[in-house]
Amino acid sequence: MLLSTSEKVDAIVVGGGIFGCAVAYYYTRDNPGKKIVVLERNEICNAATSRAAALVTRIRSKKDFIPLSLETYRAVAEMEKQLHESMDMKRVGVLHVAASEATVADLDNLMRIADSFNEPAEYLTHETVKTKVPWLKTDEALKFGFMPNESYCDPYLLGIFFARCAKMNGADIRQGVEVKGLLMEGNAAIGVSTAAGNIYANAVVIAAGAWSPVLAMQAGVGLPMAPVRSQYWITERNAIFPVDSPIVLLPDAQAYARPEGGGLLFGIRETKSFTSSPLDIPKDIIDFSFSPDRGVSDLSEVIDKLGRFFPLVYDIGLKYYIAGFSGYTPDNNLSMGIVPGVSNLFAATGCAGAGISVSGGVGLAFAEMISGKPNPYDFTNFKIDRFGKIDPFSKEWLDKCALARSQKRSG
Ligand SMILES: Cc1cc2nc3c(=O)[nH]c(=O)nc-3n(C[C@H](O)[C@H](O)[C@H](O)COP(=O)(O)OP(=O)(O)OC[C@H]3O[C@@H](n4cnc5c(N)ncnc54)[C@H](O)[C@@H]3O)c2cc1C
């Protein structure tokens, strides 16, 4: 469709990943008749979103994330009703494995957090865990905590559910439309430019994933996040991986795992996480080589940490390798909200590797803010200016963000 150069809408979202689609979903749900357009230069939900391991974690030590994730579960139930289709969330629960005094203390704290959110959580014995998770070498652990409501999902499907419901409610989702630049009037964002013309709006939301700092810089803002690679493997099938066994978090190995199609999907935090300047990532990451050896050298470096709990890792065949960029920050918090010093500009960015989990709350928060209403959540710890003035393209900044991911212990 050709755009008119004087097109005017209420809100523009740049980027059709899960964040952009979730914003459009809530905005159209709560503002019937208002016009929102989502501009995606490739296909929707095909960058980070489709690559996620998609643990939809409800309870975590970063308490500010929890209400956002709980909203994701509410959205799933609501969208299933709207579409008369199931999302087939895999409610298998999560098993937290603590194998050192420090992680036992972290687990005890997490169990208290679960309790404070009225989320079921119980300690399990070694015997129970052996039957639930046959691949796990349980004698390494000191304590196990189990939270039965935790789930994983198909991340592409979740993103597409947001998009389909938004479209049914009136959102205009355009694929193959690249935003070339922000249109500014003084200190205010007034729209975006595309190859087909300019679009003007009262609010512009940057939800461009790994590429977001490039757009924010056009408004003179150094967005505090960096694209940092996450990677995981899926093993060949084996009866030792029951499809209904829980997600397993292994902070002492800085690893996580979950069942996938009769095999095991597992991810690690490598010693040096790979990062790239947002300026250097191709527009379509299908063309990007995340690792020439499919992550094998990174895995080799940390394999003994994982082998303590998953001895079969040394022998089992690895069938698939998946990698992608998430927006990491030095404190592993999200980086989002109203862009300081620029009117009408918002950034739903810096997902900290948790964007699938928090997508519901993020979508609702931005739909409210761009409608001129208060943010229903506390974003104090996510503030865009919390690191002061930063250069998101400098090596020093990129390394800081990559280090934060390498040191991450939680799921
Ligand atoms: C390997 C891996 C495992 C993960 N595991 C989990 C997990 O278990 N749980 C979890 O919650 N999260 C996980 N994540 C993180 C999750 O995938 C991300 O947080 C989430 O997908 C971010 O969504 P997004 O919309 O911000 O970005 P994206 O999905 O990357 O979407 C951004 C979109 O913006 C578009 N865009 C960029 N620039 C422009 C432009 N100028 N004009 C138009 N369009 C533009 C891009 O084409 C892209 O489609 C994982 C990520 C990876 C890579």
Side-chain angles (χ1 to χ4, degrees), residues 15 17-19 40-41 47-49 52-55 179 208 324 326 351 353-357:
I18 200 163
F19 281 173
E40 167 54 53
R41 66 180 162 201
T49 297
L55 314 186
V179 169
S326 291
C351 66
I356 307 300
S357 306

Side-chain angles (χ1 to χ4, degrees), residues 110-182:
L110 210 56
M111 298 298 264
R112 283 191 290 273
I113 293 174
D115 195 44
S116 69
F117 280 85
N118 289 321
E119 283 287 316
E122 58 177 326
Y123 291 106
L124 297 184
T125 63
H126 282 63
E127 281 61 43
T128 311
V129 170
K130 263 183 206 151
T131 49
K132 258 186 186 308
V133 193
W135 59 264
L136 188 69
K137 186 162 176 280
T138 53
D139 51 8
E140 288 291 333
L142 300 172
K143 225 172 185 182
F144 299 103
F146 183 61
M147 299 181 189
N149 279 348
E150 299 285 16
S151 310
Y152 65 90
C153 72
D154 177 332
Y156 181 72
L157 199 58
L158 178 54
I160 294 296
F161 262 46
F162 279 123
R164 285 172 62 201
C165 290
K167 215 171 158 198
M168 273 171 83
N169 296 343
D172 182 353
I173 298 176
R174 299 180 194 169
Q175 303 185 82
V177 179
E178 180 176 12
V179 169
K180 302 273 186 205
L182 292 177

Side-chain angles (χ1 to χ4, degrees), residues 2 20 27 40 71 81 101 117 166 194 210 230 251 285 331 397 404:
L2 276 182
Y27 186 79
E40 167 54 53
E71 179 55 36
K81 270 196 200 140
E101 290 308 326
F117 280 85
T194 78
S230 298
I285 50 164
D331 57 7
W397 172 259

